[in-house]
Amino acid sequence: MDAPNSLVLAIIGVMMMLAGYFLYSQFLAKKVYKVNAEFKTPSHEFNDGVDFLPTNRYILWGHHFTSVAGAAPIVGPAVAVIWGWLPAFLWVTIGTVFMAGMHDFGALWASTRNKGRSMGALSGTYIGARGRNLFLVVILLLLLMVLAAFAVVISGLLVAQPGAVIPTWGALIVAVLVGQAIYRFKWNLIAVTAVGVILLYALILLGNAYPVSLPEEGMFGLTAEGIWIILLFLYSGIASMLPVWVLLQPRDFINGIQLFIGLGIIYGAVLMATPTVVAPAINNNLPDDTPPLVPLLFVTIACGAISGFHGIVSSGTSSKQLDRETDARFVGYFGAVGEGLLALGAIIATTAGFQTATQWREFYDSFSSGGVPVFVEGGASIINAGLNIPAGLSATILATMAVLFAATTLDTGTRLMRFVVQEIGQIAGVKITTGIATLIVVVMAFALTFSQGADGAGGMALWPLFGTTNQLLAGLTLTILTVMLIRKGRPFLPILIPAVFLLFMTIYAAFVQLVNLYNAGDWLLLVIDIIIIVAAAWVLVEAVIAMLAARKGPKDPEDDVALTEDQKLPRSA
């Protein structure tokens, strides 16, 4: 296959994802989920101003999008292109249209229909108590992996790209000001957004001009990375306890706008520079440590194609802020489209951001060599060539974009893990307060991250299991949605077919990984992998039994409850 122009990939990918939103998501909304604008959502029913809060759909989209994005839709594709650009491109585009959007939209709808309860709690309702307990274990492990690993990724970027330090921390001040302007002073959303974005990009320019570096030798017996990790966990713990409107919503909203501007810069540079994809379509000259494409492609690229973490966010925070049930299509499905566009941009940056195939192969000399640094390197090269933005500033823009999204995932993940700890406490008959639950979460993340030294290397200890754990969770979430739809007498094949495909590939990958861990003598990960496989298999068996029972049993009555007039909020709220 001749080397394609990256602009062709960009046009095909963008058109596929937009068609998915305007056509397929409409089918899901009308025929499958049957969303109702007058259904009384949990944000109205339990409005407490802290976790439950009716929210303008654009602001909520920003929260949801940036929370699910993080660094994963960059890391996964940036690693997976080692097999060639074609498999990564196909999985990202097809996965976004038929799996990710459907999954995120569905999890958000299911939680909204069940008083804002998490997918872990819903598993108890639809597949039984045993399945619920095991489901919560898988969720807890996944969130712990995300918190520890993202803290390591962010700290590494702050050390490698000191120009990103000022905009990373300064964005918090901008977010608080935006939250006050929107909720306390009721200022115009468009005007506030414009000022917030201008301030954010001014911080990027300031950071590029005045980079901030910690001493290379570190301080207090910690490396520079270790110090950043401690500050990040302290921040995420505090931020996760604040009312959502103070920091979480406005920060995620501004970051979401910033990401779309960043994507506009990337795609605009591709349009102007039209770089050629130098990576092979199918790489037949793989490094020795590269695992087989099938099934590992489908767990290496998770976020950007489909990700179980998204279901946790959809049912953990987003469902508690959904103003109208009909907003779930925009927030959930279009949020997945935004992440798919980021993953597509990562594929282009890491396959067309180099001058020659030889230079590309120098970067991809092992399976673990791809990641955010390659995305920043390749993306900066394209932006410099297409828009004539200096390479250093281009790298700062991309690094800041990656850091800000990883940071939003970090504190959202802390809040979500706190919910899970409290749910486990409820099952055990123990009431765990918000403060205690947050402390438990932060201590667990600290313990894992610093388990192998002061540089925080332990944060990546469980990361090799992230892909399979994450995708198993996505498959299990789809099984819960399938049971729910069967019990309502709705079409369920659009959910069941992707669920079967994903579970097959993921369980296949888990067993491949099991053999590799055994051969490597990594007994800790081997045991954890076995636990995850057994838990997932058990939940899956319970789900199949629940599906069969739902096919034969009576259908659930519809549960539409309308909003009263005084509860309805204007769209600009």
Side-chain angles (χ1 to χ4, degrees):
M1 181 181 293
D2 294 335
N5 190 294
S6 59
L7 182 59
V8 175
L9 296 187
I11 292 173
I12 293 174
V14 171
M15 293 304 293
M16 285 180 65
M17 293 181 199
L18 290 179
Y21 176 70
F22 287 110
L23 299 176
Y24 189 57
S25 74
Q26 284 278 22
F27 163 75
L28 293 173
K30 293 179 179 179
K31 302 296 185 181
V32 179
Y33 302 134
K34 295 185 179 179
V35 293
N36 181 359
E38 299 306 312
F39 177 76
K40 187 176 183 179
T41 59
S43 68
H44 290 281
E45 187 175 359
F46 306 110
N47 187 350
D48 60 5
V50 178
D51 295 317
F52 292 86
L53 181 70
T55 302
N56 176 284
R57 64 175 180 163
Y58 297 105
I59 296 176
L60 182 56
W61 167 84
H63 155 70
H64 180 81
F65 173 37
T66 55
S67 293
V68 300
I74 296 173
V75 174
V79 172
V81 293
I82 197 168
W83 287 301
W85 63 263
L86 183 59
F89 175 80
L90 291 175
W91 177 226
V92 163
T93 51
I94 296 174
T96 295
V97 173
F98 293 105
M99 294 193 184
M102 171 271 293
H103 170 276
D104 295 15
F105 182 5
L108 184 53
W109 165 77
S111 179
T112 301
R113 284 280 161 160
N114 287 272
K115 300 184 181 298
R117 295 161 67 204
S118 71
M119 294 310 302
L122 292 185
S123 63
T125 300
Y126 290 100
I127 63 176
R130 289 190 300 270
R132 174 201 60 197
N133 296 343
L134 293 168
F135 203 95
L136 287 173
V137 169
V138 176
I139 291 174
L140 192 68
L141 279 172
L142 180 68
L143 287 172
L144 184 59
M145 292 177 195
V146 168
L147 294 185
F150 275 35
V152 173
V153 169
I154 296 169
S155 66
L157 281 172
L158 291 177
V159 171
Q161 297 287 342
V165 172
I166 288 178
T168 295
W169 295 103
L172 302 181
I173 300 174
V174 173
V176 170
L177 294 176
V178 167
Q180 295 294 318
I182 294 174
Y183 285 101
R184 188 177 296 276
F185 299 110
K186 310 295 183 183
W187 290 352
N188 180 270
L189 178 61
I190 296 177
V192 172
T193 301
V195 173
V197 170
I198 290 171
L199 289 175
L200 188 56
Y201 274 89
L203 287 171
I204 292 175
L205 294 174
L206 184 64
N208 187 65
Y210 299 98
V212 177
S213 298
L214 295 178
E216 292 184 8
E217 64 277 8
M219 297 181 292
F220 314 115
L222 295 169
T223 63
E225 290 87 353
I227 293 171
W228 284 128
I229 289 170
I230 289 176
L231 293 175
L232 287 165
F233 279 140
L234 290 174
Y235 152 72
S236 66
I238 295 171
S240 69
M241 292 187 291
L242 293 174
V244 290
W245 68 270
V246 173
L247 180 58
L248 181 139
Q249 278 187 0
R251 181 215 53 211
D252 291 357
F253 174 63
I254 290 297
N255 282 348
I257 300 299
Q258 183 260 146
L259 174 56
F260 257 72
I261 293 174
L263 287 174
I265 291 173
I266 293 173
Y267 285 106
V270 170
L271 178 63
M272 298 302 295
T274 62
T276 299
V277 174
V278 298
I282 302 292
N283 189 4
N284 295 315
N285 188 22
L286 295 167
D288 293 337
D289 65 341
T290 307
L293 185 152
V294 177
L296 271 299
L297 170 70
F298 303 100
V299 298
T300 301
I301 299 180
C303 300
I306 182 173
S307 166
F309 179 73
H310 294 198
I312 306 175
V313 176
S314 294
S315 64
T317 57
S318 298
S319 64
K320 296 175 176 62
Q321 303 169 60
L322 197 70
D323 180 25
R324 299 284 193 277
E325 188 178 67
T326 47
D327 292 345
R329 172 175 167 258
F330 178 76
V331 174
Y333 197 102
F334 194 64
V337 167
E339 184 162 85
L341 292 174
L342 177 57
L344 177 60
I347 291 172
I348 292 173
T350 54
T351 59
F354 303 96
Q355 296 299 314
T356 63
T358 300
Q359 185 186 23
W360 180 83
R361 290 188 183 278
E362 288 175 356
F363 275 86
Y364 283 90
D365 58 353
S366 72
F367 182 67
S368 59
S369 57
V372 176
V374 183
F375 165 75
V376 172
E377 177 87 15
S381 174
I382 293 174
I383 293 172
N384 176 247
L387 302 179
N388 203 30
I389 298 176
L393 178 57
S394 299
T396 298
I397 291 172
L398 294 179
T400 300
M401 187 168 72
V403 169
L404 287 177
F405 294 117
T408 59
T409 303
L410 188 67
D411 61 31
T412 298
T414 303
R415 188 182 292 260
L416 292 169
M417 194 168 170
R418 183 245 294 174
F419 291 156
V420 174
V421 169
Q422 290 177 304
E423 283 184 13
I424 293 174
Q426 288 176 354
I427 293 171
V430 178
K431 181 176 176 59
I432 303 176
T433 65
T434 297
I436 295 299
T438 303
L439 181 62
I440 291 172
V441 170
V442 173
V443 168
M444 289 175 66
F446 262 120
L448 175 60
T449 307
F450 291 103
S451 62
Q452 296 183 8
D455 61 350
M460 303 303 293
L462 301 182
W463 189 250
L465 300 179
F466 171 79
T468 51
T469 306
N470 188 51
Q471 298 303 72
L472 280 172
L473 187 60
L476 296 175
T477 296
L478 293 181
T479 63
I480 294 173
L481 287 176
T482 301
V483 174
M484 187 173 175
L485 290 168
I486 291 174
R487 284 174 50 168
K488 287 181 174 293
R490 307 267 185 87
F492 60 88
L493 289 180
I495 285 77
L496 180 60
I497 292 172
V500 171
F501 172 82
L502 187 63
L503 285 168
F504 173 78
M505 285 298 178
T506 306
I507 292 173
Y508 181 9
F511 278 103
V512 169
Q513 195 168 37
L514 200 65
V515 173
N516 293 338
L517 292 171
Y518 177 80
N519 292 335
D522 195 332
W523 308 119
L524 173 62
L525 291 186
L526 180 69
V527 170
I528 296 175
D529 196 24
I530 291 173
I531 292 172
I532 291 169
I533 290 173
V534 170
W538 195 331
V539 174
L540 184 58
V541 169
E542 299 270 1
V544 171
I545 294 172
M547 286 182 201
L548 295 175
R551 291 294 301 274
K552 297 177 181 178
K555 303 308 177 189
D556 291 343
E558 292 296 343
D559 49 1
D560 291 345
V561 179
L563 292 167
T564 60
E565 285 300 321
D566 62 334
Q567 288 174 323
K568 295 180 180 180
L569 297 181
R571 282 299 184 191
S572 60

